[in-house]
Amino acid sequence: MHTILMHLHADFAEELKEVCETWNSAQIEIKFKGVIPAPALEASLTSGHAVSVDDATEIARHIRRHAGHSSSDGIIVFTEQRLFDDSQNYYQLFFAGIGNVTVISLDFTRKLFAEADDGKHYIFRTILNNVLNSLCQSAGLTEHKQTTGCVLDFCNNMSDIIRGIEGGPRFCTSHLRQVAQSDRSYLLALVHAVMSNERIKKQDTAVSKRVLAFHTDYDIGLVIALSEEFRELFAFLNGRPKPILLSDPDQYYYAFESGGSAPYRCIATVIGDMGTDDATLVTDHLCHHFRPTTIVNLGIAGSLDKDVLIGDLVVADQADRYLYAAKVIDSSQPSQFEFRLSGDPYKSTSDYIVHVRNLEFAHHDHLQNWQKQCGIALHQLTSESQARKIARSRLIRESPRVHVGHIASDN
């Protein structure tokens, strides 16, 4: 038995992990083992516009070494980028590889199904088809040019690709004979394990949505100042965020869905320090590349208002940039001066504020559920006596409140 590491890509990690377990149960020739790369390594595969087979293969080898495996173990990784091979004059590949390393590009698959008829989104089946094709070629089977619906079809026509994948992976008569003659029955077991798997057909819809959404605009962009604040956000995420590295300046961004029946597509980044110049640059970068509908600058703020307690939420109807046009003026006292603030107010969008003011009435159940969850969290973090003590000291409430008002801000 030899091992093949399978990159558990963030868009279909759970589904692929389940398939690997199914394949491990179906045969004993190959042991599939899921691997989650370090974010910096995975970002090399999810960032950019194009990557050569040589470069992508080297990244896969780094992932294998980082996971503590030797070069004798195979590895299959996924890239978001266009995969090309100059030496073979191929500029848009489904997959390619060197030795026991295979790189599968989601770029070509995404384009294929973005242009397909409604309902024909077989992205997960296509991914599995590419995995099986690469395993078959590694075992010595050869592709054929004609389209027969075989897992080893080499298709140039988009409609032929979709027709060959609709029914799930399978072998043509010629390749069935090859498998039997070469004593590669484990390949047949792998194909049969997923060929008519109804669960995989259902998973296609969810996986297709995630993969196709990669280059679309996002619903929410989150900008967070400090690493410790970002760490708290990560604890609440559903699934594993997908790291994306953008250059100039070098900055990591993390894509994820909010969860729920109608999830929001989110992109988040951490600045790593407090400072308005860094925040401006990073936020501008996020807006330009991911085009989120809403930007949220999330973090902890100080308060000078006795009505605002720890855990409360403050929504600004106006943000006052208090240092704008500030200046030093002479004081009436000899040898002294005064610092005079001027300010530059920014008014929040009116419909945004209207929704917040009416949370209690228009969305009472949602507000009450949020307050209830916060109360549960308070009692999980503190003892009963501690909770009562801090409540008496007016540091925190049993149920947090939402406030609307002016806030003071730097630029």
Side-chain angles (χ1 to χ4, degrees), residues 8-9 101 182 266:
L8 298 180
H9 187 281
V101 176
S182 61
C266 306

Side-chain angles (χ1 to χ4, degrees), residues 33-105:
K33 184 176 180 181
V35 60
I36 297 176
L41 288 172
E42 189 167 35
S44 301
L45 295 169
T46 58
S47 311
H49 302 290
V51 63
S52 69
V53 173
D54 288 344
D55 288 344
T57 300
E58 190 55 38
I59 294 168
R61 288 170 179 156
H62 278 302
I63 292 171
R64 180 171 58 191
R65 283 195 297 270
H66 193 267
H69 286 259
S70 70
S71 58
S72 61
D73 292 328
I75 184 168
I76 297 173
V77 299
F78 300 93
T79 179
E80 302 284 352
Q81 304 170 62
R82 177 175 63 83
L83 186 65
F84 65 91
D85 187 348
D86 282 335
S87 64
Q88 300 293 322
N89 291 322
Y90 289 131
Y91 301 104
Q92 183 79 71
L93 294 165
F94 269 117
F95 67 90
I98 300 173
N100 61 358
V101 176
T102 297
V103 182
I104 296 175
S105 172

